[in-house]
Amino acid sequence: MSRADSTPRVITVVGPTAAGKSDLGVLLARRFDGEVVNADSMQLYRGMDIGTAKLTLDERGGVPHRLLDIWDVTEAASVAEYQRLARLEIDRLLAEGRTPVLVGGSGLYVKGAIDALEFPGTDPAVRARLEEELDSDGPGPLHRRLAEADPAAGRAILPTNGRRIVRALEVIEITGRPFTANLPGETPVYDAVQIGVDVGRPELDARIAARVDRMWEAGLVDEVRTLEARGLRDGLTASRALGYQQVLAALAGECTEDEARAETVRATKRFARRQDSWFRRDARVRWLDGSLEGRAELGDRASAVVERAVTA
C-alpha cells in the first residue's frame, strides 16, 4: 500500500489533564510524519502559557504545533470557529500526505473537528436577555431552568458556569430541542484512530497537585497579572480558565494566594473527572496505560495501535 493508503487520516490523543497527552502527541507526530493540531480550548489563547501547561519550543522537539496562540484573551471561545480552523489544518496536512495528530482534553473541540456536527446559530436578542438575567440573578436560577428543560445538560454543565448555561438555554430556545440533542454523535468526517491516555485516580490527583505547584513556581501569578493588564478579566472564556480564575480572585483580594492555589488543585481534579467521563462515552477511544509503570512503553503501544488500525 502507498503511504497515503496505509496511514489513518487523523490520530487523536485524548484524556484528562496531566495524563501525558502532549508528550505522546509529539512522539506520534514524529513517528508518523505529522504535525500536532491543538485541541485544548485554553491553549488557543495568546499569553496563557504556564497555566495551560503549553509545551515550550524545546519540548515540542521541532514538531510544528498548530492552533496555539491564535486568540486574544478578550475573545470568547467559539467551538464552531475552532471546528473551521481545525479542519483547515487537517485538510492541509492530508493534502500534503502527512498525518494530523489532534491533541487535547477539550472533548467538544475534538469531536467537532473529526465528527459530523453542525453548531446551532445564535440569536443576539435571546443571548442578550439571558446574559442580563445572568448578571442580575446569577447562574443558579438559570441552571435550575436548564436542569428542568434538559436534565442531561443540567448534569453536564456546572451550576457556576454561567457562560455555558446561557449558551445551552439559547440553543434550546432557538432550536426547540434539548441542548444535548445538538451534541455530536459518532458519525466521522475523517478516518481516525483515537488514543486515550489512562491514569488511575490517585496517581492523576498527585500529578495535578504537582503540576499546580510547578505552575506557581514558574510564575503563574505574574503571568495572570500581565494578562489582566491586557483585558483578561473582561474575557468571557479566558477569565474562567483553571488557575487564571483563581489567581484573578486572589489579585482582587477575594482570597489569599494559598487559597487560590488550593482551589486550583480542587477544581482541576473535578475537571479531570468530567474529561474522563466525556471521553469514556466514546467507544472508539482505545485506552492505554499512562501510569508511571506503563509510561515508558506508552509511545510504542500507541504506535502499535496506529499501525494495527492501518492494516485492519
Side-chain angles (χ1 to χ4, degrees), residues 18-309:
K21 300 183 297 295
S22 297
D23 291 339
L24 180 58
V26 169
L27 185 149
L28 291 173
R30 283 176 171 168
R31 291 193 179 179
F32 293 98
D33 185 26
E35 296 181 3
V36 168
V37 180
N38 169 52
D40 180 313
S41 61
M42 295 304 165
Q43 291 194 8
L44 292 160
Y45 286 102
R46 282 186 288 272
M48 293 177 65
D49 302 330
I50 297 171
T52 65
K54 200 176 289 179
L55 292 184
T56 65
L57 288 176
D58 286 345
E59 289 168 337
R60 296 174 204 173
V63 173
H65 281 56
R66 308 301 178 182
L67 302 189
L68 293 174
D69 306 319
I70 64 171
W71 291 338
D72 289 329
V73 293
T74 53
E75 295 183 54
S78 165
V79 186
E81 176 63 6
Y82 172 81
Q83 179 189 64
R84 184 185 71 82
L85 296 172
R87 290 184 180 178
L88 284 174
E89 293 293 349
I90 290 169
D91 291 343
R92 174 186 62 80
L93 287 163
L94 295 176
E96 294 172 1
R98 307 186 67 211
T99 304
V101 182
L102 203 64
V103 180
S106 298
L108 190 56
Y109 282 60
V110 174
K111 280 187 169 289
I114 66 172
D115 286 340
L117 173 64
E118 294 184 10
F119 292 97
T122 186
D123 184 316
V126 172
R127 173 71 64 89
R129 172 166 46 78
L130 291 168
E131 288 181 343
E132 184 176 338
E133 288 186 54
L134 177 65
D135 290 340
S136 62
D137 302 331
L142 289 175
H143 189 266
R144 288 192 289 274
R145 190 192 310 170
L146 175 63
E148 291 175 3
D150 186 348
R155 290 190 296 270
I157 299 174
L158 287 177
T160 56
N161 194 334
R163 183 183 60 83
R164 288 198 65 199
I165 294 167
V166 164
R167 175 55 177 161
L169 288 170
E170 179 191 22
V171 169
I172 291 170
E173 189 163 337
I174 291 172
T175 65
R177 299 190 301 164
F179 176 69
T180 47
N182 295 283
L183 293 178
E186 296 181 359
T187 304
V189 173
Y190 300 100
D191 176 22
V193 55
Q194 299 196 60
I195 295 169
V197 185
D198 186 25
V199 179
R201 188 73 65 206
E203 182 178 333
L204 187 64
D205 284 351
R207 288 191 195 183
I208 288 170
R211 173 181 280 192
V212 171
D213 285 344
R214 290 194 300 270
M215 288 175 176
W216 244 262
E217 292 160 7
L220 177 60
V221 174
D222 287 338
E223 179 173 277
V224 175
R225 190 177 284 114
T226 297
L227 292 172
E228 183 182 22
R230 299 180 191 169
L232 177 61
R233 283 192 187 275
D234 298 324
L236 293 177
T237 306
S239 65
R240 305 287 298 176
L242 290 167
Y244 296 86
Q245 178 182 358
Q246 288 77 17
V247 173
L248 283 172
L251 294 177
E254 298 168 8
C255 64
T256 67
E257 268 194 39
D258 285 344
E259 288 169 338
R261 188 170 182 161
E263 178 55 29
T264 299
V265 173
R266 286 192 292 270
T268 305
K269 289 178 180 179
R270 292 194 298 268
F271 178 62
R273 285 158 174 72
R274 294 199 303 277
Q275 287 177 300
D276 191 69
S277 295
W278 173 283
F279 290 115
R280 296 280 178 187
R281 291 197 294 266
D282 192 335
R284 298 169 299 174
V285 176
R286 171 67 184 275
W287 291 92
L288 300 178
D289 182 10
S291 68
L292 289 176
E293 291 78 8
R295 207 171 194 175
E297 300 175 355
L298 178 59
D300 290 337
R301 284 182 283 116
S303 297
V305 169
V306 174
E307 288 160 358
R308 282 196 296 272

